[in-house]
Amino acid sequence: MISVKILPLFFSFVFHQLPAQDQIQYYVSPHGKSTADGTSAATPFASLETAQQAIRRLKQAGELTKPVVVNMLGGTYNLEKPVVFTEEDGGAEDTPITYQAYQEGEVIISGGKTITGWKPFKNGLWMTRLPKVNKGQWQFRQLYVNGTLRQRARTPNQGFLRVKGFPDGGPEVHYHTDCQRFEFAEGGLNPQWTNLTDVEVIVYHFWTDSHLPIQSIDAKSRIVTFQHKAGKVFTNDFTKEGARYVVENLWEALDAPGEWYLNKKTGILYYYPMPGEDLIKVEVVAPVAPELLRLEGKPTERKPVTYLNFKGLIFQYAHFELPAGNSNDKQGSASVPAAITLKGAQNCIFERCRVRNLGTFAFDILDGSQHNQIKHCDLSYLGAGGIRLNGGTEKDHPLLRTAYNQVIDNILHHYGEIFPSAVGMLLMNAGNNEIAHNEIHHGWYTGISVGWVWGYRRSTSIHNTIAYNHIHDIGQTGLLSDMGGIYTLGVSPGTVIRNNIIHDINANHYGGWGMYHDEGSTHLLVENNIVYNTKFAPFNIHFSKEVTVRNNIFALGKLEQLSRGRVEPHKSVFFENNIIYWREGELLSKKWQDQPYKFHLSALREPQEITSTFDMDYNLYFNPTATLEQVKFNGQSWSEWQQRGKDVHSLYTDPMFVDAGGFDFRLRPESPAFKLGFQPIDVSKVGVRK
């Protein structure tokens, strides 16, 4: 591994404060009394809402003349609905309002409910009755035992089933075609299953996971029909192979330790304990609240929530069920909400918080949210992704634009636990944001995604900075395809991707890329990144325009090193001063051809005919297992490649890394890369800062 020292988050809940006389202080405790005045740790308020009301009274009386600190005493604050802050609850630049953990003890804001009353059932199973479930007042799809997510009863326990046939059209149909049924292999599905319409089939496509409740099963034709359509054909890739799927929430599949089943009709919850688990002693929790916290301003009315800060808090357990008709077919699991939502929020901060064990995204930073910070937080074991930024498009009101936010020094790991197609950090319609010094790892899909407009249309996703992030172990188990450590989409002038380290990216049939420029990625600057150990190319273009890629190290792709999917009549990439180092796989895969096209130099001249659709020069290539004569440059020899005007000044020689076998890609002083103008890449600042 590269010697990047990733420092752990320092979760001390004691913050530097102004002297007491320069602050207004309140205290809250989950054990507080409704009659308390909240002015001391001995007389705390009983809820956050009570503190909210006290601060509102200060503002209405004109007495909010100092910063306000709400000190939250240790304990668990249980919620069944989110705490909502509006423009009435915000502060100002010189009088911010802060909710923070007070002294010792964890402050936990929880949307979960502890489940008790367990009794032995039979065959090693335990059961308990939940009256609210059979009354239709509660349902859940996550269950946690001692803080660890347990598996809904599923079949098969390991591996996958495979779609056999396509009554609505198969591989010959475009992959965006909606389908509502498929043919299964003999013995795959059973119409006699208990509570059949509660059983869910999860199908893994290219870059999505479809969650499909069963409507009916025809045993004779072996066709299963779902309650609504999936947005993709039931094929896994562009072959005739059927997609992989599993079956969940199935009583008959409750056969392995750690599995559970909720019978919604009877209200009985069954659990198969792990070895050594005593259900009388362990804590079993299921989520109740759909959200935990919401900042809800009114951006088009110019009434934002401002200067509201949250420090040292733990947020956990939030529930989400896909609404009827939604199978989670949007790219990046974009239809799944978040536990903490900022809308019309400005200059608000979440600092040193932990967000864990959710069925959702952690944060949504939405319409009209600007100049907010999420920093030094730990986001883990999330049903969907970590942080999503999204706001108004170019067609929407300008006050709905989401911009100038910072996501810095956070650790995000084990995301996509329920919806594996979720992106770690997803920037959709959002510009001028900084995503920096984060560590992102152990996700099933893309680490950071930037842009939300396909092709060369106008986008508000501009001038974003993606820098100094450490992204690794993405695409776990090769579950999905079409992903990257960093993924870009659409026209993005001013966006810079620099000084990131990306490694160990896996995928299913295609797309375990390190840097992935998808449809219409335009006017990006990609520099000083180190990308290595990818299943597919460390650097990939689907199709793009005028992307500048310079001073990067792309190393050790397993199947390919540099790939480009489409030739278009313009310059797709300026590729210069990069080092490409590999031991196996193809150097230049797919379409590195040129084609003639007309280019207008100015309105006063006739259009000039240009041939080159990409420029490459001053790069260093090396494969220690092959001579230059053995290497092919898109099917051509080195001399033929240079005769096309490619890599005329480039070299094929050992870059002299300190230890390529140990993934230390620092260059020795005598490296020939320096003669080409390559600049050393400082990895010491990559990742989370203390």
Side-chain angles (χ1 to χ4, degrees):
M1 306 290 288
I2 285 183
S3 55
V4 180
K5 189 175 183 181
I6 303 299
L7 296 169
L9 293 182
F10 181 58
F11 279 105
S12 169
F13 295 154
V14 180
F15 294 91
H16 296 291
Q17 298 183 10
L18 294 170
Q21 64 269 21
D22 295 329
Q23 294 179 332
I24 299 170
Q25 298 206 39
Y26 291 113
Y27 298 80
V28 181
S29 169
H31 310 295
K33 296 182 180 180
S34 58
T35 56
D37 62 10
T39 58
S40 74
T43 59
F45 290 135
S47 68
L48 288 175
E49 288 85 354
T50 308
Q52 276 182 294
Q53 295 302 318
I55 296 170
R56 286 184 180 184
R57 288 193 294 270
L58 282 178
K59 294 179 72 173
Q60 292 166 0
E63 297 174 358
L64 205 162
T65 58
K66 301 177 182 180
V68 178
V69 174
V70 178
N71 297 292
M72 299 179 65
L73 279 66
T76 299
Y77 296 73
N78 291 304
L79 307 176
E80 291 193 4
K81 60 181 182 178
V83 179
V84 179
F85 294 87
T86 70
E87 73 275 10
E88 297 179 86
D89 302 305
E93 184 173 8
D94 57 346
T95 55
I97 297 170
T98 301
Y99 291 77
Q100 70 175 30
Y102 178 66
Q103 294 185 354
E104 298 180 359
E106 292 185 333
V107 175
I108 300 172
I109 298 175
S110 174
K113 179 178 176 62
T114 301
I115 295 175
T116 58
W118 292 98
K119 297 178 181 179
F121 178 58
K122 61 181 179 181
N123 299 327
L125 300 178
W126 286 62
M127 60 168 284
T128 186
R129 294 184 180 274
L130 305 175
K132 285 189 175 182
V133 171
N134 66 304
K135 293 179 182 179
Q137 298 173 349
W138 186 24
Q139 62 177 344
F140 49 87
R141 60 180 302 143
Q142 297 93 43
L143 188 74
Y144 300 87
V145 179
N146 285 342
T148 299
L149 179 66
R150 295 300 188 223
Q151 173 65 53
R152 288 197 302 176
R154 62 163 271 179
T155 187
N157 289 329
Q158 301 293 329
F160 306 92
L161 300 169
R162 183 76 70 171
V163 172
K164 183 179 181 182
F166 317 98
D168 293 325
E172 71 281 358
V173 180
H174 192 268
Y175 57 78
H176 285 297
T177 301
D178 293 344
C179 292
Q180 196 167 346
R181 55 185 182 155
F182 64 70
E183 178 188 350
F184 56 90
E186 186 173 359
L189 303 177
N190 187 344
Q192 302 304 315
W193 280 338
T194 302
N195 297 334
L196 186 63
T197 56
D198 288 341
V199 178
E200 184 175 275
V201 172
I202 303 174
V203 184
Y204 301 102
H205 303 280
F206 310 95
W207 55 85
T208 62
D209 45 283
S210 292
H211 298 248
L212 299 161
I214 293 175
Q215 178 176 297
S216 63
I217 297 174
D218 188 320
K220 185 176 181 180
S221 65
R222 296 205 299 273
I223 290 178
V224 56
T225 302
F226 302 107
Q227 295 176 27
H228 51 76
K229 292 182 177 181
K232 304 287 184 291
V233 172
F234 295 119
T235 52
N236 192 58
D237 51 29
F238 297 101
T239 71
K240 295 182 180 180
E241 190 176 43
R244 298 153 299 151
Y245 70 93
V246 298
V247 183
E248 284 196 2
N249 202 37
L250 174 61
W251 164 250
E252 285 78 4
L254 186 54
D255 58 3
E259 289 189 332
W260 61 277
Y261 173 76
L262 178 63
N263 190 320
K264 297 177 184 178
K265 293 182 180 179
T266 64
I268 299 178
L269 172 64
Y270 300 90
Y271 179 62
Y272 194 146
M274 298 289 285
E277 279 184 346
D278 183 347
L279 287 209
I280 305 302
K281 298 179 180 179
V282 300
E283 180 186 55
V284 181
V285 176
V288 177
E291 302 173 75
L292 301 178
L293 194 67
R294 190 162 68 241
L295 278 55
E296 200 167 85
K298 300 172 182 175
T300 57
E301 299 179 27
R302 300 179 66 189
K303 295 179 179 179
V305 181
T306 58
Y307 293 97
L308 193 58
N309 306 323
F310 301 87
K311 298 184 178 182
L313 310 180
I314 298 174
F315 299 87
Q316 64 185 24
Y317 304 132
H319 170 65
F320 174 68
E321 284 280 354
L322 287 164
N326 184 342
S327 61
N328 190 46
D329 286 320
K330 287 189 176 182
Q331 183 168 318
S333 292
S335 62
V336 179
I340 301 170
T341 300
L342 286 68
K343 181 179 179 182
Q346 296 181 9
N347 296 291
C348 297
I349 298 173
F350 286 81
E351 181 177 0
R352 300 186 190 275
C353 293
R354 297 180 187 177
V355 186
R356 65 193 185 194
N357 288 351
L358 305 176
T360 62
F361 274 82
F363 286 93
D364 264 344
I365 303 177
L366 302 179
D367 295 354
S369 292
Q370 300 188 359
H371 300 286
N372 303 292
Q373 292 184 332
I374 299 176
K375 59 184 181 180
H376 288 288
C377 293
D378 184 290
L379 317 176
S380 61
Y381 298 97
L382 308 174
I387 299 172
R388 174 172 46 208
L389 293 88
N390 192 24
T393 70
E394 77 284 353
K395 298 179 182 179
D396 296 319
H397 194 294
L399 290 175
L400 295 177
R401 301 283 171 86
T402 293
Y404 303 104
N405 300 287
Q406 287 185 309
V407 178
I408 54 176
D409 294 298
N410 303 286
I411 295 179
L412 165 61
H413 60 99
H414 294 89
Y415 61 89
E417 299 287 279
I418 306 297
F419 304 101
S421 61
V423 171
M425 295 187 182
L426 175 57
L427 282 72
M428 298 169 70
N429 300 294
N432 297 91
N433 302 286
E434 181 183 10
I435 312 297
H437 294 284
N438 303 289
E439 182 179 5
I440 303 171
H441 64 91
H442 286 91
W444 303 91
Y445 194 58
T446 293
I448 298 175
S449 179
V450 187
W452 203 248
V453 173
W454 283 255
Y456 300 109
R457 296 177 291 121
R458 186 184 171 196
S459 169
T460 57
S461 185
I462 62 175
H463 294 285
N464 290 301
T465 298
I466 314 298
Y468 296 96
N469 300 288
H470 184 197
I471 304 169
H472 60 95
D473 294 285
I474 302 298
Q476 295 181 88
T477 72
L479 182 66
L480 297 174
S481 298
D482 203 84
M483 74 188 68
I486 295 178
Y487 170 94
T488 66
L489 187 65
V491 178
S492 305
T495 291
V496 176
I497 301 172
R498 62 162 58 103
N499 290 93
N500 302 282
I501 294 179
I502 304 170
H503 61 92
D504 293 285
I505 311 298
N506 197 4
N508 188 247
H509 281 283
Y510 76 99
W513 296 304
M515 198 76 67
Y516 178 8
H517 302 307
D518 204 3
E519 302 194 10
S521 293
T522 300
H523 295 152
L524 299 158
L525 173 59
V526 180
E527 64 180 2
N528 299 336
N529 302 283
I530 300 176
V531 186
Y532 65 97
N533 276 7
T534 58
K535 182 176 180 179
F536 290 84
F539 178 77
N540 172 70
I541 291 172
H542 180 197
F543 62 90
S544 66
K545 185 176 183 180
E546 297 176 2
V547 175
T548 297
V549 181
R550 67 189 184 200
N551 214 85
N552 303 280
I553 296 174
F554 299 116
L556 302 173
K558 183 177 181 180
L559 300 175
E560 56 187 10
Q561 312 310 315
L562 310 175
S563 65
R564 187 174 77 148
R566 183 182 297 182
V567 180
E568 294 183 303
H570 56 243
K571 297 280 189 182
S572 64
V573 62
F574 305 107
F575 193 87
E576 57 193 19
N577 266 130
N578 302 289
I579 299 175
I580 301 89
Y581 179 90
W582 77 107
R583 293 178 176 272
E584 59 183 331
E586 191 175 7
L587 172 58
L588 292 164
S589 70
K590 303 183 182 70
K591 299 178 180 179
W592 291 94
Q593 297 84 23
D594 286 319
Q595 69 180 40
Y597 63 95
K598 300 273 181 146
F599 183 76
H600 290 265
L601 296 174
S602 75
L604 301 178
R605 298 182 182 180
E606 291 294 321
Q608 304 294 309
E609 185 169 274
I610 307 295
T611 299
S612 176
T613 59
F614 63 96
D615 292 349
M616 301 180 83
D617 207 358
Y618 293 97
N619 301 297
L620 189 152
Y621 301 89
F622 190 61
N623 180 343
T625 70
T627 65
L628 178 57
E629 289 72 24
Q630 294 172 315
V631 175
K632 295 298 182 182
F633 291 78
N634 201 228
Q636 296 178 310
S637 68
W638 176 250
S639 61
E640 290 172 331
W641 181 250
Q642 289 183 318
Q643 287 171 15
R644 284 177 53 190
K646 312 299 182 184
D647 286 307
V648 173
H649 301 95
S650 299
L651 297 176
Y652 182 85
T653 187
D654 188 345
M656 297 185 180
F657 294 127
V658 169
D659 182 12
F663 312 124
D664 186 340
F665 296 107
R666 290 175 298 167
L667 295 172
R668 297 175 184 172
E670 65 272 24
S671 171
F674 296 133
K675 297 178 182 179
L676 295 172
F678 191 89
Q679 299 298 312
I681 300 174
D682 182 5
V683 301
S684 65
K685 299 178 182 178
V686 175
V688 177
R689 297 167 293 188
K690 185 174 179 180

